[in-house]
Amino acid sequence: MINDIGRLDQLQIKDVEELLAKVFKLLDDKEDEKAVEMLEEVSNTTNYFLRELIGKLMTNYSNQKKISKIAKRMLTNKIYGIRATALFYFHNRSSDNPDDLISLLEENYDSVPWEVESIIYETWKKKPAVMKEMMTRWLKSDIEKKRIISFHGLELVADRDPMYVLDFLTNALDDESVEVQKKITHILLQVVKSRPAETYPYIREWIMTGSEKRVRSLMISLKKIISIYTQKSFKDKSPDFMTLTRQVLYDWKAEPYRKISHIGHKLNLMIKREASSNGHQ
């Protein structure tokens, strides 16, 4: 028996392989209705890893034209697990073809969102150039959900390509979506911790050129940065982050530009309050 969640062990994987072999035999014998019924029954599961395995095994069938037609119908099924299994099948078939992969994600981001996010995450690891082009385009979409998803996996390239990530955030700063603003904060925290030297000049420029509304949004991120900076634990805090954050706090407080010095004073006051609070514990 396979659990509703969790990875599959070797015996469970073998059971699924044997079941798919029966599906393939039915298809060979032209008993398509029975084959589809069996395939959809096993695909109707909440187990992510089972859906992923079935989708992968479907690519082993000898007649790909036939099973591809079945998978296309599965993509429109009212049951989420069946749609997700079909998505994994097409992902495995299109993984070496960037154009097919992009079309797959474009067509299914709304109907199978969790699996699309998972595929995006994995593709950032394997094909970052494809993701850079695609997510930059999604960020410009009129559809809020696409703009939200476009941030998924950005943390994977925050350290090795901070300029791309920071330019990406620059283009999202004034987005009206609350969920997009939450994504900006999350990614900004990742990139400032790993690459503070590149990040702080961007933040300063964003403040200098932005509206009051933008500055208020950025203050949410800055407060979180200060919270990380003042934590006693050194987990996830590089020496560069600590040193440069300390220097930025000093420099911003003495800035001749009021927008920057005002924020510098507020951030330094937050640190004093935090230190005072810790001293009384």
Side-chain angles (χ1 to χ4, degrees):
M1 182 177 177
I2 297 175
N3 295 329
D4 290 338
I5 58 173
R7 294 184 180 277
L8 281 59
D9 60 33
Q10 289 303 312
L11 286 176
Q12 291 170 329
I13 291 173
K14 184 179 179 182
D15 288 343
V16 177
E17 289 173 340
E18 290 175 354
L19 191 149
L20 265 290
K22 292 178 182 178
V23 170
F24 297 161
K25 179 68 165 57
L26 287 169
L27 291 173
D28 288 339
D29 294 341
K30 296 183 170 52
E31 296 189 62
D32 294 10
E33 190 174 330
K34 287 183 180 180
V36 171
E37 183 180 350
M38 185 180 292
L39 181 59
E40 290 187 347
E41 182 179 355
V42 70
S43 300
N44 183 12
T45 174
T46 58
N47 191 307
Y48 171 94
F49 298 101
L50 176 55
R51 297 189 299 229
E52 185 180 36
L53 175 61
I54 296 167
K56 183 177 181 180
L57 291 173
M58 287 169 66
T59 63
N60 294 335
Y61 183 53
S62 57
N63 189 339
Q64 281 299 296
K65 184 177 181 180
K66 186 173 188 177
I67 205 162
S68 179
K69 289 181 179 179
I70 294 170
K72 283 181 180 178
R73 292 197 298 272
M74 289 171 66
L75 269 178
T76 61
N77 196 287
K78 65 180 181 180
I79 298 173
Y80 188 94
I82 294 174
R83 298 198 303 273
T85 299
L87 183 78
F88 279 127
Y89 162 75
F90 285 111
H91 172 235
N92 277 280
R93 286 199 60 184
S94 65
S95 58
D96 292 329
N97 188 322
D99 290 337
D100 288 349
L101 176 62
I102 288 171
S103 296
L104 181 68
L105 298 178
E106 288 273 7
E107 292 166 7
N108 296 282
Y109 73 89
D110 195 37
S111 62
V112 204
W114 299 326
E115 278 69 16
V116 165
E117 287 187 358
S118 175
I119 291 170
I120 286 173
Y121 191 86
E122 289 304 313
T123 308
W124 267 117
K125 297 178 184 178
K126 300 172 183 177
K127 295 182 173 66
V130 172
M131 284 294 98
K132 284 180 181 180
E133 188 275 331
M134 183 177 183
M135 293 302 103
T136 299
R137 191 171 68 251
W138 278 30
L139 182 63
K140 299 175 183 177
S141 172
D142 292 333
I143 302 169
E144 181 187 22
K145 195 164 189 176
K146 288 181 80 170
R147 300 200 307 276
I148 293 168
I149 294 175
S150 72
F151 288 81
H152 200 74
L154 270 180
E155 62 270 24
L156 294 174
V157 292
D159 184 50
R160 67 174 180 267
D161 197 352
M163 306 313 287
Y164 169 78
V165 175
L166 290 165
D167 286 338
F168 189 95
L169 295 182
T170 299
N171 292 324
L173 285 176
D174 299 318
D175 197 298
E176 295 292 332
S177 167
V178 173
E179 293 304 314
V180 168
Q181 290 299 325
K182 289 179 182 178
K183 293 289 187 180
I184 291 172
T185 295
H186 171 71
I187 298 300
L188 184 55
L189 291 179
Q190 307 307 310
V191 70
V192 76
K193 286 190 293 185
S194 62
R195 301 297 290 266
E198 292 85 355
T199 304
Y200 281 122
Y202 267 83
I203 297 176
R204 184 185 181 282
E205 183 66 18
W206 294 339
I207 294 169
M208 288 292 297
T209 60
S211 65
E212 286 301 314
K213 185 176 181 180
R214 179 197 287 183
V215 173
R216 286 195 299 271
S217 295
L218 286 171
M219 276 302 298
I220 295 172
S221 299
L222 288 167
K223 287 176 181 178
K224 290 181 180 294
I225 291 171
I226 293 304
S227 179
I228 295 168
Y229 174 75
T230 56
Q231 287 173 2
K232 292 182 180 180
S233 170
F234 281 90
K235 183 182 178 181
D236 297 330
K237 294 194 293 188
S238 67
D240 279 354
F241 170 75
M242 296 300 291
T243 301
L244 289 172
T245 300
R246 187 181 304 114
Q247 186 64 47
V248 163
L249 288 166
Y250 177 82
D251 290 345
W252 283 13
K253 188 177 178 181
E255 268 271 2
Y257 300 103
R258 188 179 180 281
K259 286 180 78 173
I260 304 297
S261 63
H262 178 65
I263 289 176
H265 279 284
K266 289 179 72 171
L267 297 178
N268 278 278
L269 184 59
M270 284 176 58
I271 291 176
K272 288 180 180 179
R273 286 174 179 168
E274 186 70 24
S276 177
S277 175
N278 290 337
H280 285 92
Q281 290 180 355

